[in-house]
Amino acid sequence: EAAKFVYVTPMEHDVLLGRGRSCMEHPGNHRYRVLVDEYQSVYDNAKKLHKSKIANKVVHEIKSGGRTRFLKQELGGWIEVSDDVAREKVSHAFRNRRLAANAAATTVGGGTATTAARASSSSSSSFRG
């Protein structure tokens, strides 16, 4: 049996899952990114088992007013995703922001510290990935 979706119209407070400028500039996504930024250091310093709880907290905090949904676009329109899918997206945002911050912090004169270290130790046979 084909999956049945309930299509919805995205509202101002909704978080739109997807790529592109329309998702990035959506007001609900702005609030979502601010909240992820607020919890980033807590997430980064947490043990692996606690990270999922932090992501869940962000999902529930975003949805706490009752007006916000996490939506993704399907062929026929926008659908609301489960809290589990929303939590995975929040966790992914935490990881991406950490990677971006680490890359920015290690930039050294047009290259990265990792690239410079690999270049200077090219005679080493061990891989430092």
Side-chain angles (χ1 to χ4, degrees), residues 7 11 34 43 46 51 56 66 74 78 82 89 93 106 122:
Y7 298 108
M11 304 303 278
V34 167
Y43 184 88
K51 290 183 184 224
N56 261 333
E74 289 292 331
W78 291 92
S82 69
K89 293 297 183 179
T106 59
S122 60

Side-chain angles (χ1 to χ4, degrees), residues 52-129:
S52 183
K53 291 179 183 179
I54 295 167
N56 261 333
K57 183 175 182 171
V58 170
V59 169
H60 291 291
E61 193 167 328
I62 289 171
K63 294 177 75 173
S64 67
R67 301 185 302 178
T68 303
R69 304 166 293 182
F70 283 81
L71 306 178
K72 80 172 186 176
Q73 199 163 28
E74 289 292 331
L75 291 176
W78 291 92
I79 62 167
E80 186 170 2
V81 300
S82 69
D83 283 356
D84 287 339
V85 171
R87 187 193 73 245
E88 285 299 318
K89 293 297 183 179
V90 169
S91 294
H92 189 79
F94 279 130
R95 290 190 300 271
N96 281 346
R97 288 195 177 285
R98 182 184 64 236
L99 291 173
N102 287 346
T106 59
T107 298
V108 177
T112 64
T114 304
T115 304
R118 284 187 182 144
S120 68
S121 64
S122 60
S123 61
S124 172
S125 61
S126 66
F127 176 70
R128 299 180 191 193

Side-chain angles (χ1 to χ4, degrees), residues 22-36:
S22 61
C23 288
M24 286 293 292
E25 293 178 352
H26 190 74
N29 288 50
H30 174 71
R31 180 173 172 251
Y32 161 73
R33 286 190 303 274
V34 167
L35 201 54
V36 167

